[in-house]
Amino acid sequence: MTVQYPLLRLARTLLLTGALVSTAVVAQTTVEIIPLNYRSSEQVIPVIQPLLGRDSSVSGFQNQLVIRATLTELAEIRRVLASIDKAPRRLLITVRQDADLERDRREAELSGSIGNDNARVTIPGSGSRSGGNVVLREGDNRLRARIIDSRQVSSDNSTQTLQVLEGASAFIRAGESRPVPTRQVVRTVINGQIVDRVVEGTQYRDAATGFSVRPRLQGEIVTLDISPQRDSFDDRHRGTVNVQQVTTTVSGRIGEWIDLGGIGDARSDERTALLGRSSGRIEDRRSVQVRVEVLP
């Protein structure tokens, strides 16, 4: 036999009702507008979004955050904003693009004429008068030995600097534009006949050096989305532009040089002729580096 106590039932009901009310208060959301000082809403929202529950939301309006969240979530959002909504640091970015070209040339040749009135052997030369020449002569006999041994080293280095705020994008570019003659054959029909006309004109071709960059800082580590470019005119082939470009994302320490890439190209050739031999070698080395410094 079960005895019901009215006071006990009432106490249980009050306890259960209080627990439900307490849970509802904790889970209740509120709407709050938080102004941003240095960061844009587009930069902050991806950081805030993972902190919100299923019934919460965040949006941006005129550099402000409109947040619907619980009190616990709002407290966490304010803590995160205090660490990321700070004045962005000024950065000095230096990009160094080096090009070293080395040429070696070696050539040896024997030419001349030996014989008498009945028979004579003639060995023609290549026609070049450069290099060292040794001539032996006796009567109508003449021998010439020519030796060339040369080495040419050239360096073309470019350094560019640019100031930018962390998290922002920047671009710098400098170069020249040269006119290039063009020639085009235009075919037309005149009085039922096909007539070809030669049209001459001028186009301008650009050769520029520069880079675009977007830096992001996390402590003493910088992450860069960077794309350096370096073009140069080829004086041996009119209208030709040599192009060098790198697009990458790299990380490194503040104040240290970071290697972005390099190119090494070595070519050699060897030729042999009658009593002569020539050889040559061309080595082309290129490298791209970047350094980021924090300005006061």
Side-chain angles (χ1 to χ4, degrees):
M1 180 177 181
T2 304
V3 179
Q4 299 290 337
Y5 297 95
L7 291 178
L8 181 60
R9 289 201 307 270
L10 179 59
R12 290 177 178 174
T13 302
L14 291 175
L15 288 174
L16 180 60
T17 304
L20 293 176
V21 171
S22 177
T23 303
V25 170
V26 172
Q28 185 178 3
T29 60
T30 183
V31 177
E32 186 167 337
I33 298 177
I34 301 178
L36 298 174
N37 298 318
Y38 302 101
R39 304 291 182 176
S40 65
S41 58
E42 290 79 7
Q43 293 174 318
V44 171
I45 287 178
V47 181
I48 300 300
Q49 194 74 50
L51 305 177
L52 300 177
R54 184 178 58 183
D55 298 328
S56 303
S57 63
V58 59
S59 60
F61 176 72
Q62 294 182 352
N63 216 37
Q64 294 176 330
L65 292 179
V66 181
I67 302 174
R68 181 182 183 87
T70 64
L71 297 178
T72 303
E73 292 171 342
L74 285 172
E76 181 67 13
I77 289 173
R78 291 192 185 94
R79 186 188 67 82
V80 172
L81 287 178
S83 63
I84 64 174
D85 190 19
K86 296 180 179 180
R89 286 173 283 183
R90 292 192 307 133
L91 305 177
L92 180 66
I93 299 179
T94 304
V95 172
R96 185 169 63 192
Q97 303 188 65
D98 299 334
D100 298 318
L101 183 64
E102 183 177 327
R103 298 175 182 265
D104 291 332
R105 184 187 176 198
R106 294 180 176 87
E107 184 174 342
E109 182 184 63
L110 183 65
S111 62
S113 177
I114 301 176
N116 52 37
D117 294 338
N118 296 324
R120 179 167 294 277
V121 177
T122 300
I123 305 173
S126 62
S128 173
R129 298 184 179 273
S130 61
N133 293 289
V134 178
V135 180
L136 301 177
R137 182 191 298 271
E138 182 178 351
D140 293 334
N141 298 326
R142 183 178 181 180
L143 284 178
R144 176 184 288 108
R146 183 170 61 89
I147 300 174
I148 296 176
D149 191 352
S150 65
R151 185 180 186 185
Q152 179 184 0
V153 178
S154 62
S155 297
D156 186 9
N157 304 321
S158 171
T159 301
Q160 292 178 309
T161 59
L162 178 66
Q163 289 191 31
V164 62
L165 296 177
E166 62 170 311
S169 299
F171 174 76
I172 184 173
R173 183 182 183 187
E176 62 176 316
S177 183
R178 292 184 182 179
V180 178
T182 60
R183 187 181 179 92
Q184 183 180 7
V185 178
V186 179
R187 178 166 295 182
T188 58
V189 178
I190 300 177
N191 297 328
Q193 295 183 346
I194 298 177
V195 178
D196 292 336
R197 294 185 301 109
V198 177
V199 178
E200 296 183 349
T202 301
Q203 291 182 348
Y204 283 85
R205 192 156 297 176
D206 298 333
T209 298
F211 64 92
S212 59
V213 65
R214 180 172 177 262
R216 301 183 299 278
L217 289 181
Q218 186 174 5
E220 291 297 313
I221 301 299
V222 59
T223 300
L224 298 166
D225 299 326
I226 188 168
S227 180
Q229 170 192 353
R230 183 175 188 181
D231 303 336
S232 61
F233 288 106
D234 191 340
D235 295 330
R236 295 173 300 174
H237 303 88
R238 184 176 178 84
T240 302
V241 177
N242 300 318
V243 178
Q244 173 182 300
Q245 187 170 4
V246 179
T247 300
T248 185
T249 299
V250 294
S251 295
R253 297 189 65 84
I254 293 292
E256 297 182 353
W257 286 104
I258 305 171
D259 291 323
L260 299 182
I263 300 174
D265 183 18
R267 290 165 288 172
S268 61
D269 65 275
E270 185 174 335
R271 300 178 183 179
T272 303
L274 181 63
L275 299 182
R277 181 178 179 180
S278 65
S279 63
R281 183 180 65 90
I282 301 176
E283 186 172 352
D284 189 0
R285 298 182 300 271
R286 300 172 182 267
S287 62
V288 184
Q289 295 178 311
V290 62
R291 182 179 64 188
V292 179
E293 300 170 281
V294 178
L295 296 175

